[in-house]
Amino acid sequence: MVFVTVYLLAQFSPLIAKASLSIEIDNRQSSSAIKVKSNEPIFISSFFLSEPSRLVLDVKTNGNFEPSLIPASTNGLVRNLRYGFRNDNVLRLVVELTIDPSQLTLNENTSEDAPQITFIIKKIEDGKTIRNSQKNIEKKFAVVVDAGHGGKDSGAVGPTGVLEKHITLNVSVYLANFIDSHPQMRAILSRRDDNKIRLRQRVKIARDSNADLFLSIHADAIDNQSARGSSVYVLSQSGASSELARMLAKKSNESDFIGDIKREKKDEDLWETLVDLSQRATIEESVKVAGKIIKQLRNFGPVHQPMVQYAGFMVLKALDIPSVLIETAFISNPVEEKRLSEPKAQRQIAHWIYRGVCDYFGLEHSNKSYLGDYRVTYGDTLSAIALKFGIAVKELKRVNGLSGDKIKEGELLKIPPLN
């Protein structure tokens, strides 16, 4: 039997602590218990994730906690425990597991004596796989889709004058549509129109949304017009992985400034430890996301960098949220500029990014490269629907056997596949 006890203490005076939170783990081979106790009312949502196997607990309290280090736990169903603050009132605990969640059951017990919740993880005796509880199945992952640049900040300009800010917004809208089509995900767009959003505000949107993932969409531009392909970046704690990565980060960061966690009233060593722990854990997850997206983007065309790239993009400094920056293609390349301007290609890029996101969260996605069916809502027109999915009106009419332009609210339209 292994016990691990962690205390998270709120800001306190020498006489009395305002709030406290403790996590105690009884870690065993067949059944492990995670006990979360506080002197303040708490609410905890839970869900399993696969590849890698983990249990996620989002602890909501009224306390403003200053955490101490969380040691590793071994020799049982729990491999390790790490945490990160989603915002002032939500602490995310990530419990790394030694076996796949399909081989586990999860029961939740609430104590009537004190604000205490115990989660019991049990291994299934006969080895049969089961579906997780309906509560876990209904969990929706929140994904912030950040369209780079906007407003006065046009971003890069292609050889014929195509602006990066327009490409990023179009791709982001398509990507958000794909994400919202999945029953276990929801998308939050950082911007929906041609407005400039400061870098600090982009990350604030992610934190306020309790986001599980942050995707920043961009388009490369360098002097070499023959450069082509996609790249995916994560935050670097040291040097950039290439000269191009360093240059792109420097250029991007010049447009704004973003802060990290608040430094005031924190012991210097504690502050450094918080930053190091949060960024290290977040970067590890970001690398996993980036790898899944790169693999899928190969279906769109050659990638410029086949490996995950590292650079100091300020917009990725969300600390506690896995974050990646996707350079969709080189707008400075005349061929890719033309392709990036086409709705069909924009939709294709969004689709393959979406597939990578599904792979990261361990969610199923259709083998067909299209959304499937679309139910007409009030105010919809054929042209608006065609624009939304990056297809021609005549193709939409052909697939659905329509001779005219009239459609009815509630009608189900088939969306043709990507070619």
Side-chain angles (χ1 to χ4, degrees):
M1 186 191 321
V2 177
F3 289 97
V4 176
T5 303
V6 180
Y7 293 98
L8 304 178
L9 301 178
Q11 295 177 353
F12 61 90
S13 69
L15 299 177
I16 184 170
K18 293 182 180 179
S20 66
L21 184 70
S22 66
I23 300 98
E24 182 179 277
I25 301 178
D26 178 4
N27 196 22
R28 308 186 186 201
Q29 292 291 338
S30 59
S31 177
S32 295
I34 304 170
K35 183 185 297 182
V36 183
K37 186 175 182 179
S38 174
N39 62 357
E40 295 273 348
I42 55 175
F43 173 79
I44 303 178
S45 59
S46 62
F47 56 95
F48 281 120
L49 290 174
S50 299
E51 297 180 357
S53 303
R54 55 210 188 274
L55 169 67
V56 177
L57 304 176
D58 280 340
V59 185
K60 299 180 181 179
T61 74
N62 294 321
N64 183 13
F65 303 106
E66 293 212 9
S68 59
L69 293 179
I70 296 181
S73 173
T74 57
N75 301 322
L77 296 177
V78 176
R79 173 181 286 116
N80 196 8
L81 178 66
R82 53 188 172 83
Y83 70 90
F85 282 100
R86 314 301 306 284
N87 54 46
D88 289 343
N89 297 322
V90 179
L91 173 72
R92 167 157 291 186
L93 300 172
V94 179
V95 183
E96 297 179 1
L97 305 171
T98 56
I99 64 176
D100 190 88
S102 63
Q103 300 291 338
L104 299 171
T105 61
L106 179 66
N107 294 312
E108 179 181 327
N109 299 321
T110 303
S111 171
E112 297 180 357
D113 300 329
Q116 175 178 302
I117 302 176
T118 302
F119 294 88
I120 309 295
I121 309 171
K122 288 186 177 180
K123 187 175 181 180
I124 302 172
E125 295 295 333
D126 58 9
K128 293 182 179 179
T129 60
I130 64 167
R131 295 182 64 86
N132 292 328
S133 68
Q134 188 66 27
K135 174 182 176 182
N136 294 332
I137 291 174
E138 291 176 352
K139 159 70 183 178
K140 280 200 172 187
F141 297 102
V143 182
V144 170
V145 182
D146 173 49
H149 309 286
K152 295 181 179 179
D153 177 15
S154 64
V157 181
T160 67
V162 174
L163 303 181
E164 181 183 3
K165 67 175 183 177
H166 296 321
I167 302 301
T168 62
L169 181 59
N170 292 344
V171 172
S172 294
V173 170
Y174 286 130
L175 178 54
N177 288 336
F178 278 110
I179 291 171
D180 283 336
S181 75
H182 198 290
Q184 287 182 258
M185 289 194 290
R186 64 184 179 92
I188 302 99
L189 282 164
S190 64
R191 67 179 179 97
R192 297 176 177 273
D193 49 31
D194 187 20
N195 285 321
K196 177 177 173 60
I197 307 293
R198 295 180 66 83
L199 296 181
R200 187 187 298 273
Q201 180 63 21
R202 294 174 192 267
V203 174
K204 185 178 185 299
I205 290 171
R207 286 177 169 167
D208 290 348
S209 304
N210 284 333
D212 297 283
L213 182 61
F214 182 89
L215 306 174
S216 192
I217 309 300
H218 290 260
D220 268 339
I222 58 175
D223 292 336
N224 181 7
Q225 292 192 344
S226 64
R228 58 179 300 198
S230 307
S231 301
V232 184
Y233 292 84
V234 301
L235 180 66
S236 170
Q237 287 183 299
S238 54
S241 54
S242 68
E243 178 63 21
L244 175 60
R246 185 197 63 75
M247 184 197 70
L248 289 173
K250 181 178 183 299
K251 184 176 181 180
S252 177
N253 294 344
E254 287 173 352
S255 64
D256 210 338
F257 170 79
I258 185 169
D260 299 324
I261 63 176
K262 293 181 180 179
R263 187 167 185 162
E264 61 270 22
K265 297 183 181 179
K266 285 184 170 67
D267 175 83
E268 186 72 16
D269 291 337
L270 174 60
W271 188 87
E272 295 294 345
T273 300
L274 282 173
V275 172
D276 182 60
L277 281 177
S278 298
Q279 285 194 341
R280 218 184 315 163
T282 302
I283 290 173
E284 288 177 3
E285 289 301 305
S286 300
V287 170
K288 294 173 186 175
V289 182
K292 299 292 186 182
I293 292 175
I294 287 176
K295 183 178 179 181
Q296 290 291 348
L297 279 174
R298 292 177 187 274
N299 294 296
F300 177 70
V303 295
H304 182 71
Q305 295 288 356
M307 306 296 292
V308 177
Q309 298 297 293
Y310 296 82
F313 288 101
M314 288 182 178
V315 76
L316 299 182
K317 293 186 177 180
L319 288 179
D320 52 358
I321 305 169
S323 308
V324 301
L325 186 144
I326 303 163
E327 297 283 5
T328 53
F330 280 86
I331 198 173
S332 52
N333 180 312
V335 175
E336 294 204 333
E337 179 201 31
K338 182 177 184 300
R339 193 180 183 195
L340 283 172
S341 303
E342 299 170 351
K344 180 178 177 180
Q346 294 167 359
R347 182 177 167 225
Q348 287 176 328
I349 293 171
H351 171 77
W352 297 120
I353 295 173
Y354 158 77
R355 292 274 293 251
V357 171
C358 287
D359 289 344
Y360 168 69
F361 285 130
L363 302 177
E364 294 183 0
H365 49 68
S366 172
N367 290 326
K368 299 177 181 179
S369 53
Y370 66 102
L371 284 177
D373 297 329
Y374 176 79
R375 191 170 297 279
V376 178
T377 60
Y378 178 79
D380 273 339
T381 63
L382 275 180
S383 59
I385 295 172
L387 179 63
K388 178 177 183 178
F389 294 107
I391 55 179
V393 173
K394 64 178 182 180
E395 179 66 7
L396 186 60
K397 293 169 67 174
R398 183 190 68 79
V399 171
N400 290 278
L402 299 174
S403 57
D405 295 331
K406 291 185 178 181
I407 50 177
K408 298 179 180 179
E409 183 179 357
E411 184 179 356
L412 209 59
L413 296 179
K414 294 180 180 178
I415 305 300
L418 295 164
N419 296 319

